[in-house]
Amino acid sequence: MIRLQASADRRQFIQSLLAAAAASAVITPERLLAGAAPADWTLGVADVEADIAPRALTPIAGRAPADFAGVLYRNGPAKFRRSGSSAGHWFDGDGLIRRFRIADGRASLAARFADTAKRRLETQLDRIVMPGFGTAAGEGANIGNNDDANAANTNVRLLGGELLALWEGGSATRLDPETLATEGIKTFRDDLRHMPFSAHPRIEADGSVWNFGGNGKVTGLWHLGADGRLIDFAVLPLPRASYFHDFTITARHIVIVLQPWLQTRFGFPISKTMAWQPELGTQVMVVAKDDLSRRRIYELPAFSAFHYGDGWEEADGTIRFAGCLEADPTFGQSSASALLQGEYIAPPRAMLKQIVLYPDGKAVLAATGAAGEFPVSDPRRAEQPHRLTAHVTGYDGKGPFPHAIATWDWQSGRSDSFDFGADQLVEEFQYAPGNSAREGDGWLIGSTLNLKVGASELHLFRAGDVAAGPVASWRADVALPIGFHGMFVGA
Ligand SMILES: [Fe+2]
């Protein structure tokens, strides 16, 4: 295992996030939050101007079981524009951490921005200047390390008892789980300060955590105990400098999908440093957890992707996991930039598929025919075969955001879905385990943005009967833009 001291690898990580000084500033009108109903999909990328103090949600339909209790934490970008300057990409807004709490049939909401160095500087300058995934550095950008550009906007997870806002180019950000106040960046070990800790950690059945960090020809590989303490960190060489946002694990292996969207140079915006080279196909690298030098490369036709599902391994060594696969990276390259200017560039739709890696070295993609993003499965089935993958779906082609939630049943090949209709934008839903251990007996909980009334909503479904519609729904008195990821923590 390679230790990362003041090595070339470390410099490479940091260089990859140094500023390329160039003018940014896409001029867009400042959007005001909430109330301007009915709205179109651009309410999903509107700015939130201040933290949202804790408030009760109004029950609007159904009733949650009396014993259903817990907290849904979610994160997503919510401030993109300042005084005529704008982030250049949806992925680059300031992270707003949302906390939905449900108990005794009642629900409440609070939301607070991560207090990052980026946000502090831009508040002071009253301009968007820090570079990011699709944003160039503006005048006044100040980058000494990865975390100066950290937007803390992609995921929020309770790991080892700590609530962490996650990004993919720098450290996790520690938050107070009750007040959501920022406590500082998370440093797992002094020599790993500012090292990327990605937004998609994978959790093993025993609660221990694997994560990667940073792309290029190497990636960092983190292994934490269930208590959140660092077990080990390694630098993993990669066969190519693919961009990857997510990965998966099985009981014995780390699985990294290397799409042919390749980094060709360092600098910002990161999306502009990458070239789509479909003729190279997609590779899947499978690495043994107990011996990182043991690896196998599988070959697949070219596809682009952001998200994968939990993986598992069968007795004969066959590996299976879900992926939301796109024909090319148009969404990340250009659509997600245009969104902030109120423009919709239709990308190839992400389709839910299963990636199957056979022990004889053959790899196949099993199609479902279902469009889908944000694949989520029952966390109790991590590293085990599972039947159901929840995902958002229901795209109408008129805007970027989905209108429906569904589960795909890999055994029956059937979709169980509920369409909220054109007036609702649907965000990632999370599994909330029920009282029984049987998969599908639990709940799906998630939020939507109701464009008709200009307000965010919270909905609870039976995971095994999505088509029946929400068991309970609540409405907020604020509209929060569409977020990315989060987790449910049962009470
Ligand atoms: Fe993600």
Side-chain angles (χ1 to χ4, degrees), residues 41-365:
W41 64 262
T42 59
L43 190 62
V45 289
D47 286 343
V48 173
E49 299 303 337
D51 296 337
I52 307 293
R55 68 217 28 236
L57 301 186
T58 304
I60 51 172
R63 178 181 289 198
D67 63 348
F68 184 86
V71 173
L72 175 68
Y73 290 106
R74 289 190 41 76
N75 194 355
K79 176 68 175 173
F80 306 94
R81 307 162 188 91
R82 293 178 188 272
S83 297
S85 63
S86 173
H89 200 284
W90 183 33
F91 298 175
D92 294 334
D94 289 339
L96 179 74
I97 293 84
R98 296 86 154 155
R99 187 193 62 218
F100 295 94
R101 174 170 284 149
I102 305 103
D104 303 323
R106 291 191 289 272
S108 65
L109 167 68
R112 194 159 179 170
F113 279 101
D115 183 21
T116 59
K118 168 191 184 300
R119 183 170 168 82
R120 284 197 298 274
L121 177 67
E122 292 180 341
T123 301
Q124 184 195 330
L125 298 176
D126 194 26
R127 285 191 66 76
I128 303 294
V129 298
M130 294 304 281
F133 187 82
T135 304
E139 196 180 328
N142 178 17
I143 302 195
N145 62 64
N146 296 346
D147 289 317
D148 289 333
N150 195 333
N153 66 2
T154 313
N155 201 347
V156 55
R157 300 293 293 259
L158 195 66
L159 296 180
E162 273 190 313
L163 189 66
L164 300 174
L166 304 177
W167 189 53
E168 69 182 10
S171 305
T173 300
R174 294 184 293 113
L175 306 172
D176 182 312
E178 183 54 38
T179 66
L180 303 178
T182 300
E183 294 176 338
I185 65 160
K186 174 72 181 176
T187 300
F188 289 97
R189 205 172 68 199
D190 280 349
D191 65 310
L192 300 174
R193 190 175 295 271
H194 307 308
M195 196 60 64
F197 183 87
S198 101
H200 285 289
R202 292 276 164 196
I203 315 296
E204 299 197 294
D206 68 359
S208 61
V209 178
W210 292 86
N211 200 3
F212 68 93
N215 294 177
K217 286 287 286 208
V218 293
T219 190
L221 184 67
W222 302 86
H223 187 197
L224 314 179
D227 60 1
R229 302 249 296 264
L230 182 66
I231 295 172
D232 215 341
F233 177 87
V235 173
L236 208 55
L238 303 172
R240 51 161 70 160
S242 294
Y243 170 72
F244 56 101
H245 168 80
D246 192 4
F247 77 139
T248 196
I249 58 172
T250 70
R252 294 190 300 142
H253 292 99
I254 309 290
V255 182
I256 296 178
V257 181
L258 300 160
Q259 61 180 318
W261 195 19
L262 299 171
Q263 193 176 14
T264 56
R265 59 186 168 85
F266 293 116
F268 285 111
I270 289 170
S271 62
K272 299 285 188 270
T273 69
M274 298 187 293
W276 175 241
Q277 298 178 260
E279 68 280 6
L280 299 178
T282 290
Q283 293 182 323
V284 184
M285 184 176 82
V286 176
V287 181
K289 282 177 177 170
D290 62 359
D291 178 0
L292 299 180
S293 69
R294 277 180 39 222
R295 60 183 55 203
R296 186 161 196 181
I297 308 288
Y298 293 82
E299 303 283 345
L300 282 167
F303 60 78
S304 184
F306 284 100
H307 296 120
Y308 303 100
D310 283 338
W312 74 88
E313 201 159 329
E314 293 168 350
D316 70 353
T318 300
I319 291 173
R320 295 177 187 270
F321 59 102
C324 296
L325 312 188
E326 301 163 9
D328 64 46
T330 298
F331 182 76
Q333 268 179 328
S334 53
S335 297
S337 288
L339 297 188
L340 296 190
Q341 301 164 68
E343 190 189 338
Y344 177 52
I345 298 171
R349 185 58 54 216
M351 302 298 291
L352 183 69
K353 296 187 181 179
Q354 189 176 66
I355 297 171
V356 188
L357 309 175
Y358 291 106
D360 66 0
K362 206 173 80 178
V364 301
L365 297 177

